[in-house]
Amino acid sequence: MGIVVQKYGGSSVANPDAIKRVARRIVDAKKSGHDVVVAVSAMGDTTDDLIDKAQAVSPAPPARELDMLLTAGERISMALVAMAISDLGFSARSFTGSQAGVITDSVHGKAKIIDVTPGRIESALAEGHIVIVAGFQGVSQDTKEITTLGRGGTDTTAVALAAALGADVCEIYTDVDGVFTADPRIVPAARKLARVGAEEMLEMAAAGSKILHLRCVEYARRYDIPIHVRSSFSQKEGTWVIPDSKAGDEQMEQAIIAGVAHDTSEAKITVVGVPDKLGMAARIFEALADAEVNIDMVVQNVSAAATGLTDISFTLPRTDGQAAMGRLAKIQDEVGYDQLLYNDQVGKVSLIGAGMRSHPGVTAKFFSALATAGVNIEMISTSEIRISVIIDESRVAEAVRTTHTAFDLDADEVEAVVYGGTGR
Amino acid sequence: MGIVVQKYGGSSVANPDAIKRVARRIVDAKKSGHDVVVAVSAMGDTTDDLIDKAQAVSPAPPARELDMLLTAGERISMALVAMAISDLGFSARSFTGSQAGVITDSVHGKAKIIDVTPGRIESALAEGHIVIVAGFQGVSQDTKEITTLGRGGTDTTAVALAAALGADVCEIYTDVDGVFTADPRIVPAARKLARVGAEEMLEMAAAGSKILHLRCVEYARRYDIPIHVRSSFSQKEGTWVIPDSKAGDEQMEQAIIAGVAHDTSEAKITVVGVPDKLGMAARIFEALADAEVNIDMVVQNVSAAATGLTDISFTLPRTDGQAAMGRLAKIQDEVGYDQLLYNDQVGKVSLIGAGMRSHPGVTAKFFSALATAGVNIEMISTSEIRISVIIDESRVAEAVRTTHTAFDLDADEVEAVVYGGTGR
């Protein structure tokens, strides 16, 4: 029996009873003969409470100290989980990110893992202990400072540990039963996927699916780690995210479409009347990069020869909207555009499926379904296995349902599903 | 200007306003030209809350994990203090006990500091930062495990840092104005001592004075660190605890008596009818040592030749009472004593003063004052600079007041004093 890495999010360890339930699951895995390593998030609202405390003493706390503060959250939950395991008669050792050898870069608040040196974990496993590791945190390589990984950090910790330890599987426990063909809150007929390819999962995460964080899937894909997404509230099998190297074996049975994702967290900015000169688009996106704005989709209209002007539209997180508008306003004279349009009443609907590579007509069927429902498409972007459209936010739910039905994804029977993904 | 080490206890950092006030005091010390290093305790009731959480998942949590859990408390407070300082426009860096180089033995829950390697602190000071260190915690030398120092741990951290850094002074901020000649809650006429010798302070701490913890004073005495005990709520001078090496210079002005301390946390056990054979007393105290019971005072009656039996009485913390009685019951057949008597309605009153060495008659005056007040003495123990008596608990307050008056310690004017020592 090999090593199993499990990840429990904040809602799974929100209170003493939840922690005891998690402890029983961990012990079950140990009893079945595995070496068990667990990454945990902070309990429930702990992180938010700590941020409130920071705000109460300083409106703009230094990032280093904020990381020092927030990492207390996982320290508490991991020690409590270890205690609960001990109470069941098994031996557990908790380790901070630093102790566990999670080495990161020095970017406080959103550090990237650059290495994992799990010597202490391996020693503890060799001595028969269950190992509990604080998620979301590490120590910087150069400065030995405590860092946090940002959103989805504990998922990433779990996958990084699984890769470093050569684990058989990384189990991500959450409060839903797995990955669905669409958000069941919007599409009651959505089906749980028994398996999904890592590449598809990556596109789904990028397209707004909240179940697994993008960075976690990227990490799993790079290191060929199978992920099993499942509920900490039931014993049901969840969704297996299959590494690309193994997904090929099952290509035959693979459905054309894995699912329909949506995202209403983006805004659209249009730069109107940009002079059609060399380097103007580059200048605009350089300015946005300087402001650390993440751009998603970009569309540039064909240059209208008559005017020598063009329009450039792009989408970005709404939270970056003010920063982007402010920065673009500063370069109006330099670039010479006419005006800026800002619209945060937009939504993105994406169709994802590795099967669409070899199935022409998917795009036509998608657009046709949207047209039938009277949904107007504002922007389009595609990859090999994804088609995304930007539409009016008020039409997103209907567009998702229409698309889901058009591609025969609806389940025969609708299961009662509680859905409340936390995005951690 | 040299290095100043400051210590703030849990009540001084209990909430955001308190933390901001502490930050202003710290910044004042920095502004006056000192390098400033601060040891902080966990906020207010944080430690108790964490212990409650531990109890909720495990009635007997492993000591290693309890230390991991509790150290989150200082991690939170130190980061918040650093943020509040930053908000005042000064730069602060917080460090855990481990990062600060506080090296301990491996006894979880009551580790002893065995070395301090303050390289990171010195670097941070050299870069102009104010340094905030988590009190109460360290890292074990052999196993690199996180440890806690037990009660009074943050005082000890502060003094140990002061010694390692060659600080000019260790300022212990608390919620009282300094060290008093007696507990002002019992003796309204108690006076604040402007200065007290380290040896006297040590005896006062051992005799029940809660202001400074015994270990902290021992540490300061060993390394010749002056301690300034003062209130974090006022700018008044507090009490200077003078190292023995410097106390000699002021011997001339030294009062005979420094103060009257009392302690109602002890119980008395009497082993009745112990056969007067070689090794029987040793057997009894070996058994108590095995049970990790700390013995304070011991009295053995002169052996009654007629019976060949003797009685042995000793005092111990009430919290160890059950363990001690249980262990002694097990050796009744072996030792052959008649019975055990347990009395937790006792109190200890101690008179402390380096001056009593050269002033005969102090003992007589003390006992005479107690006799006049009709207080019966059950046990007596003395050192060079201390006399302690065990009396009935109900008479402790009166005995302290009577003694305080008999030795002319009463202040001419009674100041309004708020007293609420936390013992941290």
Side-chain angles (χ1 to χ4, degrees):
Chain A
M1 294 287 204
I3 296 172
V4 169
V5 174
Q6 301 185 331
K7 177 262 176 173
Y8 295 94
S11 59
S12 300
V13 292
N15 55 57
D17 283 343
I19 286 173
K20 288 181 184 178
R21 187 176 56 232
V22 160
R24 286 191 293 273
R25 281 202 96 112
I26 295 169
V27 164
D28 284 346
K30 176 74 178 170
K31 279 181 186 166
S32 74
H34 294 286
D35 280 341
V36 186
V37 176
V38 178
V40 290
S41 299
M43 295 169 72
D45 301 327
T46 305
T47 302
D48 291 338
D49 289 347
L50 290 173
I51 290 174
D52 288 347
K53 282 198 169 75
Q55 293 292 335
V57 298
S58 172
R64 176 194 188 275
E65 299 302 327
L66 197 56
D67 278 0
M68 191 63 96
L69 180 72
L70 296 183
T71 48
E74 285 77 27
R75 192 183 193 88
I76 293 169
S77 58
M78 74 177 186
L80 292 173
V81 169
M83 290 174 189
I85 290 170
S86 158
D87 200 49
L88 296 173
F90 285 74
S91 166
R93 291 277 182 280
S94 67
F95 295 99
T96 64
S98 172
Q99 291 177 333
V102 178
I103 314 292
T104 72
D105 62 23
S106 303
V107 185
H108 287 291
K110 46 182 177 183
K112 288 200 173 52
I113 296 176
I114 52 185
D115 196 11
V116 179
T117 53
R120 288 184 75 167
I121 296 179
E122 287 166 338
S123 298
L125 290 177
E127 290 165 11
H129 304 298
I130 293 167
V131 170
I132 317 294
V133 177
F136 178 70
Q137 60 179 249
V139 63
S140 67
Q141 189 167 43
D142 302 334
T143 54
K144 308 297 175 213
E145 297 284 8
I146 302 303
T147 54
T148 64
L149 308 179
R151 284 187 68 78
T154 305
D155 287 2
T156 309
T157 299
V159 172
L161 290 173
L165 294 164
D168 293 344
V169 59
C170 179
E171 297 183 336
I172 305 282
Y173 285 88
T174 178
D175 48 7
V176 294
D177 285 338
V179 181
F180 283 73
T181 50
D183 183 340
R185 286 172 301 191
I186 288 185
V187 184
R191 286 182 294 111
K192 187 179 74 186
L193 294 165
R195 53 189 58 221
V196 60
E199 190 187 8
E200 289 168 303
M201 193 66 234
L202 199 63
E203 291 280 9
M204 288 177 81
S209 163
K210 298 285 190 298
I211 303 297
L212 285 179
H213 201 268
L214 189 60
R215 288 167 60 195
C216 150
V217 185
E218 282 174 344
Y219 213 106
R221 207 177 159 215
R222 191 176 322 138
Y223 292 97
D224 257 14
I225 305 295
I227 294 178
H228 187 186
V229 183
R230 57 195 307 195
S231 169
S232 64
F233 298 89
S234 83
Q235 298 289 339
K236 279 188 231 173
E237 279 277 301
T239 300
W240 283 83
V241 182
I242 309 294
D244 299 342
S245 63
K246 284 147 198 159
D249 308 346
E250 315 182 13
Q251 201 80 2
M252 293 287 287
E253 346 168 22
Q254 192 153 25
I256 299 173
I257 301 300
V260 184
H262 71 280
D263 187 352
T264 53
S265 69
E266 293 195 341
K268 184 176 81 163
I269 290 178
T270 303
V271 189
V272 179
V274 179
D276 191 17
K277 290 189 297 190
L278 203 64
M280 281 303 130
R283 188 68 201 89
I284 287 170
F285 290 102
E286 274 165 18
L288 293 168
D290 287 348
E292 302 207 6
V293 171
N294 288 310
I295 305 301
D296 180 18
M297 291 165 62
V298 181
V299 171
Q300 181 172 358
N301 291 352
V302 177
S303 174
T307 61
L309 298 176
T310 184
D311 297 343
I312 296 175
S313 293
F314 59 89
T315 62
L316 74 174
R318 287 180 194 174
T319 48
D320 287 346
Q322 287 308 313
M325 291 294 280
R327 183 56 71 112
L328 290 175
K330 285 189 189 156
I331 59 167
Q332 179 161 20
D333 290 346
E334 183 189 340
V335 172
Y337 63 79
D338 283 345
Q339 61 169 323
L340 296 176
L341 301 178
Y342 182 77
N343 181 4
D344 62 6
Q345 303 296 304
V346 297
K348 183 168 69 169
V349 175
S350 303
L351 191 63
I352 292 117
M356 69 171 73
R357 274 198 193 99
S358 50
H359 285 75
V362 168
T363 308
K365 189 193 263 191
F366 182 25
F367 292 177
S368 157
L370 293 175
T372 306
V375 175
N376 188 44
I377 299 173
E378 299 185 26
M379 292 171 74
I380 299 167
S381 125
T382 61
S383 80
E384 280 280 286
I385 66 165
R386 178 186 49 80
I387 310 167
S388 299
V389 296
I390 295 292
I391 62 175
D392 192 90
E393 185 179 9
S394 65
R395 308 302 306 276
V396 164
E398 192 180 346
V400 171
R401 279 190 291 267
T402 297
T403 308
H404 200 265
T405 304
F407 284 90
D408 293 326
L409 295 172
D410 294 355
D412 296 336
E413 284 178 44
V414 176
E415 229 177 317
V417 175
V418 179
Y419 188 95
T422 60
R424 300 188 73 144
Chain B
M1 293 287 204
I3 296 172
V4 169
V5 175
Q6 300 185 331
K7 176 263 176 171
Y8 295 94
S11 59
S12 300
V13 293
N15 55 58
D17 284 342
I19 286 173
K20 288 181 183 178
R21 187 176 56 232
V22 160
R24 286 192 293 272
R25 280 203 96 112
I26 294 169
V27 164
D28 284 345
K30 176 75 176 171
K31 279 182 185 165
S32 74
H34 295 286
D35 281 341
V36 186
V37 176
V38 178
V40 290
S41 299
M43 296 170 72
D45 301 327
T46 304
T47 303
D48 290 339
D49 289 348
L50 290 173
I51 290 173
D52 287 349
K53 283 197 169 77
Q55 293 291 335
V57 298
S58 172
R64 177 194 188 275
E65 299 303 326
L66 196 57
D67 277 0
M68 190 65 94
L69 179 73
L70 296 184
T71 49
E74 285 77 27
R75 191 182 193 91
I76 291 169
S77 58
M78 74 177 186
L80 292 173
V81 169
M83 290 175 190
I85 290 171
S86 159
D87 199 48
L88 297 173
F90 285 73
S91 166
R93 292 275 181 282
S94 68
F95 295 99
T96 64
S98 172
Q99 291 176 332
V102 179
I103 315 292
T104 72
D105 62 24
S106 303
V107 184
H108 286 292
K110 48 183 177 182
K112 286 200 175 53
I113 297 177
I114 52 184
D115 196 11
V116 178
T117 54
R120 288 185 75 166
I121 295 179
E122 287 166 338
S123 300
L125 290 176
E127 290 166 11
H129 303 300
I130 293 167
V131 170
I132 317 294
V133 177
F136 178 70
Q137 58 179 250
V139 61
S140 67
Q141 190 166 42
D142 302 334
T143 53
K144 309 297 176 212
E145 298 284 8
I146 303 302
T147 53
T148 64
L149 308 179
R151 284 186 68 78
T154 305
D155 288 2
T156 309
T157 300
V159 171
L161 290 172
L165 293 164
D168 294 344
V169 58
C170 179
E171 297 183 336
I172 305 281
Y173 285 87
T174 178
D175 50 7
V176 294
D177 285 337
V179 180
F180 283 73
T181 50
D183 184 339
R185 286 173 298 191
I186 287 184
V187 184
R191 287 182 295 111
K192 186 180 73 184
L193 294 165
R195 53 189 58 221
V196 60
E199 189 187 9
E200 289 168 304
M201 193 67 233
L202 199 62
E203 290 279 10
M204 288 177 79
S209 165
K210 298 284 191 298
I211 303 297
L212 286 178
H213 201 268
L214 188 62
R215 288 167 60 195
C216 152
V217 184
E218 282 175 345
Y219 213 106
R221 210 180 155 211
R222 191 178 320 136
Y223 292 97
D224 258 14
I225 306 295
I227 295 179
H228 187 186
V229 183
R230 58 196 306 194
S231 169
S232 64
F233 297 90
S234 84
Q235 298 290 340
K236 279 188 233 174
E237 280 276 298
T239 300
W240 284 83
V241 182
I242 309 295
D244 299 341
S245 63
K246 284 147 198 158
D249 309 345
E250 314 180 15
Q251 201 82 3
M252 294 286 288
E253 346 167 22
Q254 192 153 27
I256 299 172
I257 300 300
V260 184
H262 71 279
D263 186 353
T264 53
S265 69
E266 295 197 338
K268 184 176 81 163
I269 290 178
T270 303
V271 189
V272 179
V274 179
D276 191 16
K277 288 190 297 189
L278 203 66
M280 280 303 129
R283 189 66 202 91
I284 286 170
F285 290 102
E286 273 167 18
L288 293 169
D290 287 347
E292 302 208 4
V293 171
N294 287 310
I295 303 302
D296 181 18
M297 291 164 63
V298 181
V299 172
Q300 180 172 359
N301 291 353
V302 177
S303 174
T307 62
L309 298 176
T310 186
D311 296 345
I312 297 175
S313 291
F314 59 89
T315 62
L316 74 173
R318 286 180 194 174
T319 47
D320 288 346
Q322 288 308 312
M325 292 293 281
R327 182 59 70 112
L328 291 175
K330 284 188 189 158
I331 59 166
Q332 179 162 19
D333 290 346
E334 185 189 338
V335 173
Y337 65 79
D338 283 345
Q339 60 170 322
L340 296 176
L341 301 178
Y342 182 76
N343 180 4
D344 61 7
Q345 303 296 304
V346 297
K348 182 167 70 170
V349 175
S350 303
L351 191 65
I352 294 117
M356 70 171 73
R357 275 198 192 98
S358 49
H359 285 74
V362 168
T363 307
K365 188 193 264 191
F366 182 25
F367 292 178
S368 158
L370 293 176
T372 305
V375 175
N376 189 44
I377 299 172
E378 297 185 26
M379 290 171 76
I380 300 168
S381 124
T382 62
S383 80
E384 280 280 287
I385 66 164
R386 177 186 50 80
I387 311 168
S388 299
V389 297
I390 294 292
I391 62 175
D392 192 90
E393 184 178 10
S394 66
R395 308 303 306 278
V396 165
E398 192 182 346
V400 171
R401 278 190 292 268
T402 297
T403 308
H404 199 265
T405 304
F407 284 90
D408 293 325
L409 296 172
D410 293 354
D412 296 336
E413 285 177 42
V414 175
E415 229 178 317
V417 176
V418 179
Y419 188 95
T422 58
R424 302 188 72 143

